[in-house]
Each structure stands twice: as C-alpha cells, then as structure tokens.
Amino acid sequence: MSTDSSTTDSAASAVSSGPGLHNDHDAEPHEAPAPPYTPSVFTLRCTTPAQSSRYHVPLLPRGAQPRHGPIAAGLYSWDDPGPRDIHGTVTQVDGWVKLCHPEGQTYWHNPQFRFMTRSALENPRNFQLIIACARQVDELLRARGMRTGLSVELVLEPESDMRTCGYYFVDHVKETIFWAEDTSTLTLGLSPPSSSNLKFILKQQYYIHIEYFPAHLKCLDARETRLIGMLTHGCVDGMTSDDSTFPYDAEQCRAFLQMLGNLPDSVHTQAYRNCIVGRLLAEIYGTYVVNFHDEIHARLSRRHSLLPDLDIRCEFPRWISWIDKILWQNPAKYHEALCDLWVDRIAYFQPWNKFVEQLACDWLRSGMFAGIGITCGLILRAFLNSSAQKASLWIYVARASSSASISLGLISLTSGMVLVQNRPLAQNAGDVNEFLVHRSHEGSVWCLLFLSFAITLTSFDLMSHFTEALALLPFVMAVLLIGLTAYLVKELPSVNYALMLLGDIAHRAARV
C-alpha cells in the first residue's frame, strides 16, 4: 500500500512523545497529554493470546497483489530502498521495528515503550488507532495507580470496527499475562479454573504469546532448560507407562530433544528457538491445567477420573450383557477402550490414533474371514446346483445356509472396507474431542438393516423359495447385534451416511 510520507512521518513523530508504560523505574513519570478520544467512541477490551486473529488473514487488496515491475540496478545491494520497498510501501516507522515471525507473519515492536501489535502501522489510520489505544491504557494505569516494570510489555490488537482495541500485558519475569482492570475467565474464553490452577492457565497464555511474538526476544535459555527437563521426564514416563498424562509420547519427546540439541545457539536462530519453546511449553502447561498439576488431587494417570459428573461409563441392561457374551465380549472391550481414551472428556490424540489403527486391523481381519466365507459359500452353492441328487429338505437347508453365508460375508466385507477407508484419525486432541462430542449412532441400525436386505435380495432371489427365506433370519439377528455393538462403541456419522448410500444403491439395483 502506498502512503503519503508526510502523513506517516507526522504519525511517527507522535510516538516519540506519546504514551509509554507507567514504569516504576522512571525517575519522574511524565504526564501524558489528554487522550484524543472519549470512551463512547473508543473502547478497550481485555483479550488473550489464544483469542488472537492471527490465523484469520484477510484477502489481499488489489493494490497489494503481485504484479510485474522494473528492477533497478543494484537493488538491495548498493541501492538499498531503505524504509520503503520497490512499490513505495513503508517498511519502517520511527520508533517501531517491523519483525517477522518464523511462519512468515509480521508484527511491529516498539523497544522504547515496549508496545507490540500486528496491525499494519504503515497505514496512518492504524497507526493513530494504536497511539490512541496506548494512551487510553496508560491513562487506565494511572487512574488505578498501577505501575509496570521493565519486564512488562503491552500487546495491542485493534478490531476490524476500528472502535475497539483488545489488549493484554506480558510479564516476562513472572511468566504470565495480566490486565489493568478486573475481568473473568468466562469473558476471556478461558477454561474454568480449579482452586489454584489459574496460574497455569495464565502461564499457558504467556507461552502462546511467546510463540506468536518470538523475534524481538533474547534466547530463553532458562525456559529452554526447563523444557528439556520436561521432555526428558515425559520420554521416560512414556517408555515406562502406558497411561502417562504428558501431552507427547516417547517418540515425539526424543524427536523434540534431538531437534533442540541440533539447533545452533545463534542470534540468527533465536526467533525459531523462542517459537519452538513457546509452542511446546504452552501445550505442556495446558495439560497441567486439566490434570490439576501442583494440587493435592493431581491426576497421575490418563485413566484416573476426577470429575464424576463427566464420567461416561454406565451400567447396561442385563440383556445387553447377554448379547455381549454372545459376541465374545468384543463390544464391552471396545466400549472400555473408548472410555479410557476420554476420561473426564480429556483426549490424547496419539493413543486415539493407535486405537483407531487397531480397529482398522480388526476390520481388515474380519474382511479376510468374510472373503473366506464367501468363497466357501460359493463353492458349496455351485456344488449343490450342479448335483443331480433329488431335492430334499437338507438340500434346501444347505442352499439357504450357503446363501446366508455369502450374504453375511458381503455385508462384513462391505462394511469393513467402508470403516477402514473412513477411520477417524486425528491430527490433534481437538479432533478427537470434536469427534467424540458429535458422535451419533441414530439410524445406524436401520441403514445396516436396509443394506443387509438389499444385498440379500440383489445377490440371491431368496423369496422364490420359501425354505430359502429362512436365510433372512440370520441377517436380522446379525443386524440387531451390529446395532447393539454400535450403541456401545458409538458408531461414527460418516459411516452411517456411507452405509445408507450403499444401501440405497443396492436397493435400486434390486428393483431393476
């Protein structure tokens, strides 16, 4: 975006005499001029790093889209454009430094007044908004008699309406964030704290901030040393236990330790190092919150439930227990495994993915056995059809049994293929929680019933012989048992839709 240099320079000069954090180290705190705003026009709002809009990037305006242009001789060598790029866009503002996050996003930092923002300060309107917001925060501090140390920084996040500005303070010594006014966890969208773990909630937000604003900080040696200790303990815990509450498994911990050890200790890598440390520590302190770390009721095992209102285990009727025994207690086994994966509705995606892969192996194994059953049924039916023996009740029973075997095998093979292809692997714990919260098994019994009858009627004209109609009875029993299993293991909605679609296709084929 091209801007008028005179407008930008006048806005830049405002910061040199503008607000700063009310510092208890200042010998004589200066009196800021009256702010050019009224509360009815401009509003401050407490926010957190997790509520940042950094991932909601707007579309490029037409003036900023890539376009061809001339390249001057010696550009960026002996002909350095300085604070403007080849399109004339301002890249520096007096008193502010434009820095780049390792992921590519830029932000502005004012070392003198310890301000930070992701707002585009090359736009004079945004610059004036940041100055007005900083002045109002400074006035709020003075009105409350609050002073901040040299380790405190102010983050400003103007909103799209240009009338509201989110803010929070960062204390690098205490490793926390805070505000100049009273607020609440509900207002900030934070997890409800227990009696004493609010400090870990705020510490997690601090390290999210470190991840988002890493380029201007010196290397966090003490934090990195602590992180190495945490990862080492998590690695050993994961290798010696199968129910660790650490957010990373042993293999991931070893990979992280190796990467941290291989990262050179250089000023050129400090932004990358700080970003890595911030992201990993934010995840670890997040698990401290949900597992009541540093409390008498700390959770030491993933299977240990501390919140009885969130316990998903329940007592099933006796007839379901009988069905479970008929099915070799497989539904109960899968139900127990799911309960262990979602204790107090806390999910870990590595154990979840292992569970899903084990399910996929079971589905593939069932498909293999189904293929063997289909082959044997086809051989038996071909033998019976080519036999010159006189028809008898046993012949009809054998033919009905082979039809049942083939149809059940087709049902097992089809459902197994669909389940394997749609297995719900997760990229993070949020994917697991979203899947389990929105799980649904309504309609699964009916779609399986429809699919079973459609496959049966399409493959074999069973209704042409009364005795072979008996082959439908095993299908009905099988569908009911599968439905009960779905009730216990909570069948996934995508499979319901796929099975309904396959059943509809088979039904249409049967009517042709």
Side-chain angles (χ1 to χ4, degrees):
M1 172 188 293
S2 298
T3 57
D4 185 9
S5 60
S6 61
T7 304
T8 304
D9 293 339
S10 63
S13 63
V15 73
S16 61
S17 61
L21 294 185
H22 199 192
N23 196 332
D24 56 1
H25 294 273
D26 294 339
E28 294 182 359
H30 63 278
E31 292 295 333
Y37 57 82
T38 58
S40 61
V41 175
F42 185 78
T43 306
L44 288 176
R45 183 180 67 85
C46 297
T47 187
T48 65
Q51 292 179 320
S52 170
S53 60
R54 72 187 303 265
Y55 292 106
H56 301 281
V57 182
L59 296 176
L60 280 173
R62 289 189 177 276
Q65 292 181 4
R67 62 184 185 272
H68 290 291
I71 301 178
L75 184 65
Y76 297 119
S77 178
W78 51 267
D79 184 15
D80 193 341
R84 295 178 182 270
D85 62 16
I86 60 176
H87 300 304
T89 304
V90 175
T91 57
Q92 291 183 6
V93 177
D94 186 25
W96 293 79
V97 180
K98 189 176 184 180
L99 301 170
C100 185
H101 188 278
E103 294 178 346
Q105 191 177 59
T106 59
Y107 69 92
W108 292 83
H109 176 241
N110 189 312
Q112 180 182 1
F113 297 113
R114 305 186 302 281
F115 296 159
M116 280 174 291
T117 183
R118 272 189 293 272
S119 182
L121 296 189
E122 57 265 29
N123 185 330
R125 184 184 180 189
N126 292 341
F127 190 93
Q128 295 292 348
L129 178 63
I130 290 296
I131 295 301
C133 180
R135 290 179 183 275
Q136 185 163 342
V137 173
D138 191 60
E139 288 297 318
L140 182 60
L141 289 174
R142 293 177 182 276
R144 292 180 173 268
M146 300 175 63
R147 294 179 178 271
T148 59
L150 294 175
S151 64
V152 175
E153 295 180 320
L154 173 63
V155 180
L156 303 171
E157 296 280 354
E159 298 185 2
S160 58
D161 60 3
M162 305 299 287
R163 294 178 179 273
T164 306
C165 184
Y167 82 96
Y168 62 88
F169 290 96
V170 181
D171 191 329
H172 291 289
V173 171
K174 302 296 185 180
E175 299 181 18
T176 189
I177 66 172
F178 64 94
W179 302 267
E181 55 192 300
D182 295 338
T183 183
S184 68
T185 55
L186 182 61
T187 302
L188 297 172
L190 300 175
S191 302
S194 65
S195 57
S196 61
N197 69 359
L198 181 58
K199 63 179 180 180
F200 288 124
I201 295 179
L202 298 180
K203 192 180 288 281
Q204 179 192 21
Q205 294 299 315
Y206 168 79
Y207 280 107
I208 293 176
H209 165 82
I210 295 298
E211 178 190 353
Y212 292 168
F213 297 92
H216 69 284
L217 298 173
K218 296 181 179 179
C219 290
L220 308 176
D221 295 332
R223 277 85 161 177
E224 184 178 347
T225 302
R226 186 194 314 159
L227 173 61
I228 291 174
M230 291 176 172
L231 291 174
T232 304
H233 175 266
C235 180
V236 175
D237 195 17
M239 295 171 65
T240 58
S241 173
D242 60 351
D243 57 358
S244 172
T245 59
F246 201 69
Y248 305 111
D249 58 21
E251 182 179 355
Q252 289 178 308
C253 289
R254 284 194 295 266
F256 291 147
L257 289 170
Q258 183 178 3
M259 285 186 289
L260 289 173
N262 293 337
L263 192 63
D265 188 5
S266 168
V267 66
H268 302 292
T269 62
Q270 71 176 18
Y272 303 95
R273 185 183 295 272
N274 293 338
C275 183
I276 293 171
V277 171
R279 177 173 295 187
L280 296 180
L281 283 177
E283 185 72 20
I284 293 174
Y285 281 115
T287 60
Y288 280 13
V289 174
V290 298
N291 291 316
F292 303 95
H293 188 84
D294 196 23
E295 296 187 37
I296 191 172
H297 299 292
R299 191 195 317 273
L300 304 181
S301 168
R302 282 202 303 264
R303 299 186 178 93
H304 185 194
S305 177
L306 298 176
L307 304 173
D309 293 339
L310 298 180
D311 191 5
I312 60 176
R313 289 179 170 84
C314 59
E315 294 292 335
F316 294 106
R318 183 175 299 178
W319 63 275
I320 292 184
S321 301
W322 291 343
I323 299 298
D324 177 61
K325 292 180 180 179
I326 295 175
L327 296 176
W328 298 285
Q329 297 185 337
N330 282 322
K333 180 185 69 173
Y334 291 130
H335 178 259
E336 185 66 21
L338 281 174
C339 290
D340 289 340
L341 290 170
W342 209 33
V343 174
D344 290 346
R345 302 195 176 185
I346 301 172
Y348 296 80
F349 79 95
Q350 301 96 341
W352 169 263
N353 285 342
K354 291 180 181 178
F355 171 73
V356 172
E357 292 296 349
Q358 182 59 47
L359 282 180
C361 292
D362 294 342
W363 293 328
L364 289 174
R365 189 180 300 110
S366 298
M368 180 184 65
F369 291 143
I372 296 174
I374 292 172
T375 303
C376 294
L378 290 173
I379 294 175
L380 177 60
R381 190 170 182 86
F383 174 78
L384 293 175
N385 290 338
S386 62
S387 176
Q389 296 181 2
K390 184 179 179 180
S392 65
L393 178 61
W394 295 109
I395 296 295
Y396 285 123
V397 171
R399 188 174 297 157
S401 299
S402 64
S403 300
S405 176
I406 295 171
S407 298
L408 286 173
L410 289 173
I411 294 170
S412 177
L413 188 61
T414 304
S415 60
M417 292 172 57
V418 172
L419 289 169
V420 170
Q421 293 298 322
N422 291 275
R423 60 187 186 276
L425 294 175
Q427 298 295 327
N428 51 58
D431 293 342
V432 182
N433 272 319
E434 183 178 2
F435 170 78
L436 293 174
V437 167
H438 297 93
R439 71 194 186 278
S440 173
H441 61 271
E442 289 82 1
S444 60
V445 173
W446 301 110
C447 68
L448 286 172
L449 179 63
F450 188 72
L451 176 64
S452 301
F453 279 101
I455 291 178
T456 301
L457 297 176
T458 303
S459 305
F460 309 100
D461 188 14
L462 294 177
M463 300 308 295
S464 61
H465 299 89
F466 175 77
T467 54
E468 291 191 4
L470 296 175
L472 291 176
L473 295 178
F475 304 144
V476 176
M477 295 178 60
V479 169
L480 291 177
L481 295 179
I482 292 174
L484 293 174
T485 305
Y487 174 79
L488 295 177
V489 302
K490 310 300 184 186
E491 188 60 79
L492 56 160
S494 59
V495 173
N496 293 340
Y497 176 79
L499 291 178
M500 290 173 65
L501 181 61
L502 290 174
D504 182 68
I505 294 174
H507 179 66
R508 292 176 182 272
R511 296 175 58 185
V512 175

